[in-house]
Coordinates of all heavy atoms in Angstrom, one line a residue:
M1 N -19.0 -16.5 9.8 CA -18.8 -16.3 8.5 C -20.0 -15.3 8.0 O -21.0 -15.7 8.1 CB -18.7 -17.6 7.8 CG -18.3 -17.5 6.4 SD -17.6 -19.1 5.8 CE -19.1 -19.6 5.0
I2 N -19.4 -14.3 7.4 CA -20.4 -13.3 6.8 C -21.4 -13.8 5.8 O -22.6 -13.4 5.8 CB -19.7 -12.0 6.3 CG1 -20.6 -10.8 6.1 CG2 -18.9 -12.3 5.0 CD1 -21.0 -10.2 7.4
E3 N -21.1 -14.8 5.0 CA -21.9 -15.3 4.0 C -23.1 -16.0 4.7 O -24.2 -16.0 4.2 CB -21.1 -16.3 3.1 CG -20.2 -15.6 2.3 CD -18.8 -15.3 2.8 OE1 -18.5 -15.6 3.9 OE2 -18.1 -14.4 2.2
Q4 N -22.8 -16.8 5.8 CA -23.9 -17.4 6.5 C -24.9 -16.5 7.1 O -26.1 -16.7 7.1 CB -23.3 -18.3 7.6 CG -24.4 -19.2 8.3 CD -25.2 -20.1 7.3 OE1 -24.5 -20.8 6.5 NE2 -26.4 -20.1 7.4
Q5 N -24.3 -15.3 7.6 CA -25.1 -14.3 8.1 C -26.1 -13.8 7.0 O -27.2 -13.4 7.2 CB -24.4 -13.1 8.8 CG -23.6 -13.6 10.0 CD -22.7 -12.5 10.5 OE1 -23.0 -11.3 10.6 NE2 -21.6 -13.0 11.1
I6 N -25.5 -13.4 5.9 CA -26.3 -12.9 4.8 C -27.3 -14.0 4.3 O -28.4 -13.6 4.0 CB -25.4 -12.6 3.6 CG1 -24.5 -11.4 3.9 CG2 -26.2 -12.3 2.3 CD1 -23.4 -11.1 2.9
K7 N -26.9 -15.3 4.2 CA -27.9 -16.3 4.1 C -29.1 -16.3 4.8 O -30.2 -16.4 4.6 CB -27.3 -17.6 3.8 CG -28.2 -18.8 3.4 CD -27.4 -20.1 3.4 CE -28.4 -21.2 2.9 NZ -27.7 -22.5 2.7
D8 N -28.8 -16.2 6.2 CA -29.8 -16.2 7.3 C -30.7 -15.1 7.0 O -31.9 -15.1 7.3 CB -29.1 -16.3 8.6 CG -28.4 -17.5 9.0 OD1 -28.6 -18.6 8.3 OD2 -27.6 -17.5 9.9
L9 N -30.1 -13.9 6.8 CA -31.0 -12.6 6.6 C -31.8 -12.9 5.5 O -33.1 -12.5 5.5 CB -30.0 -11.5 6.4 CG -30.6 -10.0 6.4 CD1 -31.5 -9.8 7.6 CD2 -29.6 -9.0 6.0
I10 N -31.4 -13.5 4.3 CA -32.2 -13.7 3.1 C -33.4 -14.5 3.5 O -34.6 -14.3 3.1 CB -31.4 -14.2 2.0 CG1 -30.4 -13.1 1.4 CG2 -32.3 -14.7 0.9 CD1 -29.4 -13.7 0.5
I11 N -33.0 -15.7 4.2 CA -34.0 -16.7 4.5 C -35.1 -16.0 5.3 O -36.3 -16.2 5.2 CB -33.5 -17.9 5.2 CG1 -32.4 -18.5 4.3 CG2 -34.5 -18.8 5.7 CD1 -33.0 -19.1 3.0
E12 N -34.6 -15.2 6.4 CA -35.6 -14.6 7.3 C -36.6 -13.6 6.6 O -37.7 -13.6 6.9 CB -34.7 -13.7 8.3 CG -35.5 -13.0 9.4 CD -34.7 -12.1 10.3 OE1 -33.7 -12.7 10.8 OE2 -34.9 -10.9 10.3
R13 N -36.0 -12.9 5.6 CA -36.8 -11.9 5.0 C -37.7 -12.4 3.8 O -38.7 -11.8 3.5 CB -35.9 -10.7 4.5 CG -35.4 -9.9 5.5 CD -34.7 -8.7 5.1 NE -34.1 -7.9 6.2 CZ -33.2 -6.8 6.1 NH1 -33.0 -6.4 4.9 NH2 -32.7 -6.3 7.1
Y14 N -37.0 -13.4 3.0 CA -37.6 -13.8 1.9 C -38.1 -15.2 1.8 O -38.7 -15.7 0.8 CB -36.7 -13.5 0.7 CG -36.3 -12.1 0.5 CD1 -35.4 -11.5 1.1 CD2 -37.1 -11.3 -0.4 CE1 -35.0 -10.2 1.1 CE2 -36.9 -9.9 -0.5 CZ -35.8 -9.4 0.3 OH -35.6 -8.1 0.2
G15 N -37.8 -16.0 2.9 CA -38.2 -17.3 3.0 C -37.3 -18.4 2.3 O -37.2 -19.5 2.8
S16 N -36.7 -18.0 1.2 CA -35.8 -18.9 0.4 C -34.8 -18.0 -0.5 O -35.1 -16.9 -0.7 CB -36.5 -20.0 -0.4 OG -37.1 -19.2 -1.4
L17 N -33.7 -18.7 -0.8 CA -32.8 -18.1 -1.7 C -33.4 -17.9 -3.0 O -33.2 -17.0 -3.8 CB -31.6 -18.9 -1.7 CG -30.6 -19.0 -0.6 CD1 -29.5 -19.9 -0.8 CD2 -30.2 -17.6 -0.1
V18 N -34.3 -18.8 -3.4 CA -35.1 -18.8 -4.7 C -35.9 -17.6 -4.9 O -35.8 -16.8 -5.8 CB -35.8 -20.0 -5.1 CG1 -36.7 -19.9 -6.3 CG2 -34.9 -21.3 -5.2
A19 N -36.6 -17.3 -3.8 CA -37.6 -16.2 -3.8 C -36.7 -14.9 -3.8 O -37.0 -13.9 -4.5 CB -38.5 -16.1 -2.5
F20 N -35.6 -14.9 -3.2 CA -34.8 -13.7 -3.1 C -34.2 -13.4 -4.5 O -34.1 -12.3 -5.0 CB -33.7 -13.8 -2.1 CG -32.7 -12.7 -2.0 CD1 -33.0 -11.4 -1.5 CD2 -31.4 -12.7 -2.5 CE1 -32.2 -10.5 -1.4 CE2 -30.5 -11.7 -2.4 CZ -30.8 -10.5 -1.9
S21 N -33.7 -14.5 -5.1 CA -33.0 -14.4 -6.4 C -34.0 -13.9 -7.5 O -33.7 -13.1 -8.3 CB -32.4 -15.7 -6.8 OG -33.3 -16.7 -7.1
E22 N -35.3 -14.3 -7.4 CA -36.3 -13.8 -8.3 C -36.6 -12.3 -8.1 O -36.8 -11.6 -9.0 CB -37.5 -14.7 -8.2 CG -37.5 -16.0 -8.7 CD -38.6 -16.9 -8.3 OE1 -39.6 -16.5 -7.6 OE2 -38.6 -18.1 -8.8
K23 N -36.5 -11.9 -6.8 CA -36.9 -10.5 -6.5 C -35.8 -9.6 -7.0 O -36.1 -8.7 -7.6 CB -36.8 -10.4 -4.9 CG -36.9 -9.0 -4.4 CD -38.3 -8.4 -4.5 CE -38.3 -7.0 -3.9 NZ -39.4 -6.3 -4.2
I24 N -34.4 -10.0 -7.0 CA -33.4 -9.1 -7.5 C -32.9 -9.4 -8.9 O -32.1 -8.7 -9.4 CB -32.2 -9.2 -6.5 CG1 -31.5 -10.6 -6.5 CG2 -32.5 -8.7 -5.1 CD1 -30.2 -10.6 -5.7
G25 N -33.5 -10.3 -9.5 CA -33.2 -10.7 -10.9 C -32.0 -11.4 -11.2 O -31.3 -11.2 -12.3
L26 N -31.3 -12.0 -10.2 CA -30.0 -12.8 -10.4 C -30.4 -14.3 -10.2 O -31.3 -14.7 -9.5 CB -29.0 -12.5 -9.2 CG -28.4 -11.1 -9.3 CD1 -27.5 -11.0 -8.2 CD2 -27.5 -11.0 -10.6
P27 N -29.7 -15.0 -11.1 CA -30.1 -16.6 -11.0 C -29.8 -17.1 -9.6 O -28.7 -16.6 -8.9 CB -29.1 -17.1 -12.0 CG -28.6 -16.0 -12.9 CD -28.7 -14.8 -12.1
N28 N -30.5 -18.1 -9.3 CA -30.3 -18.7 -7.8 C -29.0 -19.3 -7.8 O -28.3 -19.2 -6.7 CB -31.4 -19.8 -7.6 CG -31.2 -20.4 -6.2 OD1 -31.2 -19.7 -5.2 ND2 -31.1 -21.7 -6.2
S29 N -28.3 -19.8 -8.9 CA -27.0 -20.4 -8.8 C -26.0 -19.3 -8.6 O -25.0 -19.6 -7.9 CB -26.7 -21.1 -10.2 OG -26.9 -20.1 -11.3
T30 N -26.2 -18.1 -9.1 CA -25.2 -17.0 -8.7 C -25.3 -16.7 -7.2 O -24.2 -16.6 -6.6 CB -25.6 -15.8 -9.6 OG1 -25.5 -16.1 -11.1 CG2 -24.7 -14.7 -9.2
I31 N -26.4 -16.5 -6.7 CA -26.6 -16.4 -5.2 C -25.9 -17.4 -4.4 O -25.2 -17.2 -3.5 CB -28.0 -16.2 -4.8 CG1 -28.8 -15.1 -5.6 CG2 -28.1 -15.9 -3.3 CD1 -28.3 -13.6 -5.4
D32 N -26.2 -18.6 -4.7 CA -25.6 -19.8 -4.2 C -24.2 -19.8 -4.2 O -23.3 -20.0 -3.2 CB -26.2 -21.2 -4.7 CG -25.8 -22.3 -3.9 OD1 -26.0 -22.3 -2.8 OD2 -25.1 -23.3 -4.5
S33 N -23.6 -19.5 -5.4 CA -22.2 -19.5 -5.6 C -21.5 -18.4 -4.7 O -20.5 -18.6 -4.1 CB -21.9 -19.3 -7.0 OG -20.4 -19.2 -7.3
I34 N -22.1 -17.3 -4.6 CA -21.6 -16.1 -4.0 C -21.5 -16.5 -2.4 O -20.5 -16.3 -1.7 CB -22.3 -14.8 -4.1 CG1 -22.2 -14.3 -5.5 CG2 -22.2 -13.7 -3.0 CD1 -23.1 -13.1 -5.9
L35 N -22.5 -17.2 -2.0 CA -22.5 -17.6 -0.6 C -21.6 -18.6 -0.2 O -21.1 -18.8 0.9 CB -24.0 -17.9 -0.2 CG -25.0 -16.8 -0.3 CD1 -26.3 -17.1 0.1 CD2 -24.6 -15.7 0.8
R36 N -21.4 -19.6 -1.2 CA -20.4 -20.7 -1.0 C -19.0 -20.2 -1.1 O -18.1 -20.6 -0.3 CB -20.7 -21.8 -1.9 CG -21.9 -22.7 -1.4 CD -22.1 -23.9 -2.3 NE -22.4 -23.7 -3.7 CZ -21.6 -23.7 -4.7 NH1 -20.3 -24.3 -4.6 NH2 -22.0 -23.4 -6.0
R37 N -18.7 -19.5 -2.2 CA -17.3 -19.1 -2.4 C -16.9 -17.9 -1.7 O -15.6 -17.6 -1.6 CB -17.2 -18.9 -4.0 CG -17.3 -20.1 -4.7 CD -17.0 -19.9 -6.2 NE -17.4 -21.1 -7.0 CZ -17.5 -21.1 -8.2 NH1 -17.3 -20.0 -9.0 NH2 -17.6 -22.2 -8.9
G38 N -17.7 -17.1 -1.3 CA -17.4 -15.9 -0.5 C -17.7 -14.5 -1.3 O -17.5 -14.5 -2.5
I39 N -18.1 -13.6 -0.5 CA -18.4 -12.2 -1.0 C -17.3 -11.6 -1.7 O -17.3 -11.0 -2.7 CB -19.0 -11.3 0.2 CG1 -20.4 -11.8 0.7 CG2 -19.0 -9.9 -0.3 CD1 -21.4 -11.6 -0.2
A40 N -16.1 -11.9 -1.2 CA -14.8 -11.2 -1.7 C -14.5 -11.6 -3.1 O -13.9 -10.9 -3.8 CB -13.7 -11.5 -0.8
K41 N -15.0 -12.9 -3.5 CA -14.6 -13.3 -4.8 C -15.8 -13.0 -5.8 O -15.7 -13.4 -7.0 CB -14.5 -14.8 -4.8 CG -13.2 -15.3 -3.8 CD -13.1 -16.7 -3.8 CE -11.9 -17.1 -2.8 NZ -11.7 -18.4 -2.5
A42 N -16.8 -12.3 -5.4 CA -18.0 -12.2 -6.2 C -17.8 -10.9 -7.0 O -17.1 -10.0 -6.8 CB -19.2 -12.1 -5.3
N43 N -18.6 -10.9 -8.1 CA -18.7 -9.7 -9.0 C -19.3 -8.5 -8.1 O -20.2 -8.6 -7.4 CB -19.7 -10.1 -10.1 CG -20.0 -8.9 -11.1 OD1 -20.7 -7.9 -10.6 ND2 -19.4 -9.0 -12.3
V44 N -18.7 -7.5 -8.2 CA -19.1 -6.2 -7.5 C -20.4 -5.8 -7.7 O -21.2 -5.5 -6.8 CB -18.0 -5.1 -7.7 CG1 -18.5 -3.8 -7.1 CG2 -16.7 -5.5 -7.2
E45 N -20.9 -5.8 -9.0 CA -22.3 -5.4 -9.2 C -23.2 -6.4 -8.6 O -24.3 -5.9 -8.1 CB -22.4 -5.4 -10.7 CG -21.8 -4.3 -11.4 CD -22.0 -4.3 -12.9 OE1 -23.1 -4.8 -13.4 OE2 -21.1 -3.6 -13.6
N46 N -23.0 -7.7 -8.6 CA -23.8 -8.6 -7.9 C -24.0 -8.3 -6.5 O -25.0 -8.4 -5.8 CB -23.4 -10.1 -8.2 CG -23.7 -10.4 -9.6 OD1 -24.4 -9.8 -10.4 ND2 -23.0 -11.5 -10.1
V47 N -22.7 -8.0 -5.8 CA -22.8 -7.8 -4.3 C -23.6 -6.5 -4.1 O -24.3 -6.3 -3.2 CB -21.3 -7.6 -3.9 CG1 -21.3 -7.2 -2.5 CG2 -20.6 -8.9 -4.0
M48 N -23.3 -5.5 -5.0 CA -24.1 -4.2 -4.8 C -25.6 -4.4 -4.9 O -26.4 -3.9 -4.0 CB -23.7 -3.2 -5.9 CG -22.2 -2.7 -5.6 SD -21.7 -1.7 -7.0 CE -22.8 -0.4 -7.1
T49 N -26.0 -5.3 -5.9 CA -27.4 -5.7 -6.1 C -28.0 -6.3 -4.7 O -29.1 -6.0 -4.2 CB -27.8 -6.5 -7.2 OG1 -27.2 -5.9 -8.4 CG2 -29.1 -6.9 -7.3
I50 N -27.2 -7.3 -4.2 CA -27.6 -8.0 -3.0 C -27.8 -6.9 -1.8 O -28.7 -6.9 -1.1 CB -26.7 -9.1 -2.7 CG1 -26.8 -10.2 -3.7 CG2 -26.9 -9.6 -1.2 CD1 -25.7 -11.3 -3.7
C51 N -26.7 -6.1 -1.7 CA -26.8 -5.2 -0.6 C -27.9 -4.3 -0.6 O -28.4 -3.8 0.4 CB -25.4 -4.5 -0.5 SG -24.1 -5.6 0.1
K52 N -28.1 -3.6 -1.8 CA -29.2 -2.7 -2.0 C -30.5 -3.3 -1.6 O -31.2 -2.8 -0.9 CB -29.2 -2.3 -3.4 CG -30.2 -1.2 -3.6 CD -30.2 -0.6 -5.1 CE -31.3 0.5 -5.2 NZ -31.3 0.9 -6.6
E53 N -30.7 -4.5 -2.1 CA -32.2 -5.2 -1.7 C -32.1 -5.5 -0.2 O -33.2 -5.3 0.4 CB -32.3 -6.4 -2.5 CG -33.6 -7.2 -2.2 CD -34.8 -6.3 -2.6 OE1 -34.8 -5.5 -3.4 OE2 -35.8 -6.6 -1.8
L54 N -31.1 -5.9 0.5 CA -31.1 -6.2 1.8 C -30.9 -4.9 2.7 O -31.1 -5.0 3.9 CB -30.0 -7.2 2.2 CG -30.2 -8.6 1.6 CD1 -28.9 -9.5 1.9 CD2 -31.5 -9.2 2.1
Q55 N -30.6 -3.8 2.0 CA -30.4 -2.5 2.7 C -29.3 -2.7 3.8 O -29.5 -2.4 5.0 CB -31.6 -2.0 3.3 CG -32.7 -1.6 2.2 CD -33.9 -0.9 2.8 OE1 -34.2 -1.0 4.0 NE2 -34.7 -0.3 1.9
I56 N -28.2 -3.2 3.3 CA -27.0 -3.4 4.2 C -25.8 -2.7 3.5 O -25.7 -2.6 2.3 CB -26.7 -4.9 4.5 CG1 -26.4 -5.7 3.2 CG2 -27.7 -5.5 5.3 CD1 -25.9 -7.2 3.4
S57 N -24.8 -2.2 4.4 CA -23.8 -1.5 3.8 C -22.7 -2.4 3.2 O -22.3 -3.5 3.7 CB -23.0 -0.8 5.0 OG -21.8 -0.3 4.7
I58 N -22.3 -2.1 2.0 CA -21.3 -2.7 1.2 C -19.9 -2.5 2.0 O -19.2 -3.6 2.1 CB -21.0 -2.2 -0.2 CG1 -22.4 -2.5 -0.9 CG2 -19.9 -2.8 -0.8 CD1 -22.5 -1.9 -2.4
D59 N -19.8 -1.4 2.5 CA -18.6 -1.2 3.2 C -18.3 -2.0 4.5 O -17.4 -2.5 4.9 CB -18.4 0.4 3.7 CG -17.1 0.7 4.3 OD1 -16.1 0.4 3.7 OD2 -17.1 1.3 5.4
G60 N -19.6 -2.2 5.2 CA -19.7 -3.1 6.4 C -19.2 -4.5 6.1 O -18.5 -5.1 6.9
L61 N -19.5 -4.9 4.9 CA -19.0 -6.4 4.5 C -17.5 -6.5 4.4 O -17.1 -7.5 4.8 CB -19.7 -6.7 3.1 CG -21.2 -6.9 3.2 CD1 -21.7 -7.3 1.7 CD2 -21.7 -7.9 4.1
R62 N -16.8 -5.5 4.0 CA -15.4 -5.4 3.9 C -14.8 -5.8 5.3 O -13.7 -6.4 5.5 CB -14.8 -4.2 3.4 CG -15.1 -3.8 2.0 CD -14.4 -2.7 1.5 NE -14.3 -1.6 2.5 CZ -13.3 -0.7 2.5 NH1 -12.4 -0.8 1.6 NH2 -13.3 0.2 3.4
H63 N -15.6 -5.3 6.4 CA -15.1 -5.6 7.8 C -15.9 -6.8 8.5 O -16.0 -6.9 9.6 CB -15.2 -4.4 8.6 CG -14.6 -3.1 7.9 ND1 -13.3 -3.0 8.0 CD2 -15.1 -2.1 7.3 CE1 -12.9 -2.0 7.3 NE2 -14.0 -1.3 6.8
N64 N -16.6 -7.6 7.6 CA -17.3 -8.7 8.1 C -18.5 -8.3 9.1 O -18.7 -9.0 10.1 CB -16.5 -9.8 8.7 CG -15.7 -10.5 7.7 OD1 -16.1 -10.7 6.6 ND2 -14.4 -10.9 8.0
I65 N -19.0 -7.2 8.7 CA -20.2 -6.7 9.6 C -21.4 -6.6 8.7 O -21.2 -5.8 7.6 CB -19.8 -5.4 10.3 CG1 -18.6 -5.5 11.1 CG2 -21.0 -4.8 11.1 CD1 -18.0 -4.2 11.6
I66 N -22.5 -7.0 9.1 CA -23.8 -6.6 8.4 C -24.4 -5.3 9.1 O -24.8 -5.5 10.3 CB -24.7 -7.7 8.5 CG1 -24.2 -8.9 7.5 CG2 -26.2 -7.4 7.9 CD1 -25.1 -10.1 7.5
R67 N -24.2 -4.2 8.5 CA -24.7 -3.0 9.0 C -25.8 -2.5 8.1 O -25.6 -2.2 7.0 CB -23.5 -2.0 9.0 CG -23.9 -0.8 9.8 CD -22.6 0.1 10.0 NE -22.0 0.4 8.5 CZ -20.6 0.3 8.4 NH1 -19.8 0.2 9.4 NH2 -20.1 0.6 7.3
P68 N -27.0 -2.2 8.8 CA -28.1 -1.6 7.9 C -27.7 -0.2 7.5 O -27.0 0.5 8.2 CB -29.2 -1.6 8.8 CG -28.7 -2.1 10.2 CD -27.4 -2.3 10.0
V69 N -28.2 0.1 6.4 CA -28.2 1.5 5.8 C -29.6 2.0 5.5 O -30.4 1.3 5.2 CB -27.3 1.7 4.4 CG1 -25.9 1.2 4.6 CG2 -28.0 0.8 3.3
A70 N -29.8 3.3 5.8 CA -31.0 4.0 5.6 C -31.0 4.7 4.3 O -30.0 5.7 4.2 CB -31.4 4.8 6.8
Y71 N -31.8 4.5 3.4 CA -31.9 5.2 2.2 C -32.9 6.3 2.4 O -34.1 6.1 2.5 CB -32.2 4.4 1.0 CG -31.1 3.3 0.7 CD1 -31.3 2.0 1.1 CD2 -30.1 3.7 0.0 CE1 -30.2 1.1 0.7 CE2 -29.1 2.9 -0.3 CZ -29.2 1.4 0.0 OH -28.2 0.6 -0.2
E72 N -32.4 7.4 2.4 CA -33.3 8.7 2.5 C -34.1 9.0 1.2 O -33.5 9.0 0.1 CB -32.3 10.0 2.8 CG -33.1 11.2 3.1 CD -32.2 12.3 3.4 OE1 -31.1 12.2 4.0 OE2 -32.7 13.5 3.1
K73 N -35.3 9.1 1.5 CA -36.2 9.4 0.3 C -36.3 11.0 0.2 O -36.7 11.7 1.2 CB -37.6 8.7 0.6 CG -37.6 7.3 0.5 CD -38.9 6.6 0.5 CE -38.7 5.2 0.3 NZ -40.0 4.5 0.3
I74 N -36.1 11.5 -1.0 CA -36.3 12.9 -1.1 C -37.0 13.1 -2.4 O -37.1 12.3 -3.3 CB -34.9 13.6 -1.3 CG1 -34.1 13.1 -2.4 CG2 -34.1 13.5 0.0 CD1 -32.8 13.9 -2.7
S75 N -37.6 14.3 -2.4 CA -38.4 14.5 -3.6 C -37.6 14.8 -4.8 O -36.4 15.1 -4.7 CB -39.3 15.8 -3.4 OG -38.4 17.0 -3.2
R76 N -38.1 14.7 -6.0 CA -37.4 14.9 -7.2 C -36.8 16.4 -7.3 O -35.7 16.6 -7.7 CB -38.3 14.8 -8.3 CG -37.6 15.0 -9.8 CD -38.6 14.7 -10.9 NE -37.9 14.8 -12.1 CZ -37.5 13.7 -12.8 NH1 -37.8 12.5 -12.3 NH2 -36.9 13.8 -13.9
E77 N -37.6 17.3 -6.8 CA -37.1 18.7 -6.8 C -35.9 18.9 -5.9 O -35.0 19.6 -6.2 CB -38.3 19.7 -6.3 CG -39.5 19.7 -7.3 CD -40.4 18.5 -7.1 OE1 -40.4 17.9 -6.1 OE2 -41.2 18.3 -8.1
E78 N -36.1 18.3 -4.7 CA -34.9 18.4 -3.7 C -33.6 17.7 -4.5 O -32.6 18.3 -4.3 CB -35.3 17.7 -2.5 CG -34.3 17.9 -1.2 CD -34.5 19.4 -0.8 OE1 -35.4 20.1 -1.1 OE2 -33.5 19.7 -0.3
F79 N -33.8 16.6 -5.1 CA -32.6 15.9 -5.7 C -32.0 16.7 -6.8 O -30.8 16.9 -6.8 CB -33.1 14.6 -6.2 CG -32.0 13.9 -7.0 CD1 -31.0 13.3 -6.5 CD2 -32.1 14.1 -8.5 CE1 -30.1 12.6 -7.2 CE2 -31.0 13.4 -9.2 CZ -30.0 12.7 -8.5
E80 N -32.9 17.4 -7.6 CA -32.4 18.1 -8.7 C -31.7 19.5 -8.1 O -30.7 19.9 -8.6 CB -33.5 18.6 -9.5 CG -34.0 17.4 -10.4 CD -35.1 17.6 -11.4 OE1 -35.7 18.8 -11.3 OE2 -35.5 16.8 -12.1
K81 N -32.3 20.0 -7.1 CA -31.6 21.2 -6.4 C -30.2 20.9 -5.9 O -29.3 21.7 -6.1 CB -32.5 21.7 -5.2 CG -32.1 22.9 -4.5 CD -33.1 23.4 -3.5 CE -32.4 23.4 -2.2 NZ -33.4 23.7 -1.1
H82 N -30.1 19.7 -5.3 CA -28.8 19.3 -4.8 C -27.7 18.8 -5.9 O -26.5 19.0 -5.7 CB -28.7 18.4 -3.6 CG -29.4 19.0 -2.4 ND1 -28.8 19.8 -1.6 CD2 -30.7 18.9 -1.9 CE1 -29.6 20.2 -0.6 NE2 -30.8 19.7 -0.7
S83 N -28.3 18.3 -7.0 CA -27.4 17.8 -7.9 C -26.8 18.7 -8.8 O -25.8 18.5 -9.6 CB -28.2 16.6 -8.7 OG -29.2 17.2 -9.4
H84 N -27.4 19.9 -8.8 CA -26.8 21.0 -9.7 C -25.8 22.0 -9.0 O -25.3 22.9 -9.6 CB -28.0 21.8 -10.2 CG -28.8 21.0 -11.2 ND1 -28.4 20.5 -12.3 CD2 -30.1 20.6 -11.1 CE1 -29.4 19.9 -13.0 NE2 -30.4 19.9 -12.2
K85 N -25.4 21.6 -7.8 CA -24.5 22.5 -7.0 C -23.2 22.1 -7.5 O -22.7 21.2 -7.9 CB -24.7 22.3 -5.6 CG -25.9 22.8 -5.1 CD -26.0 22.8 -3.7 CE -27.2 23.5 -3.1 NZ -27.4 23.4 -1.7

């Protein structure tokens, strides 16, 4: 079950769901509810917040896969250069 895998990842990286919820600014009850009821039934913004912090692909979750994503760091100048095209 993907929710158990996410929970295990959270515990591995943050030590507890409470520590993780404090880090991302969502109530622990929300995290617990998402993990019990299922990712598919959760608010999309909450799922995005969780995925961003864990650096996992939202698209991967649709296929029940935890797939890491790499966020490329670019300079502000580089970002502005590409955003005006």
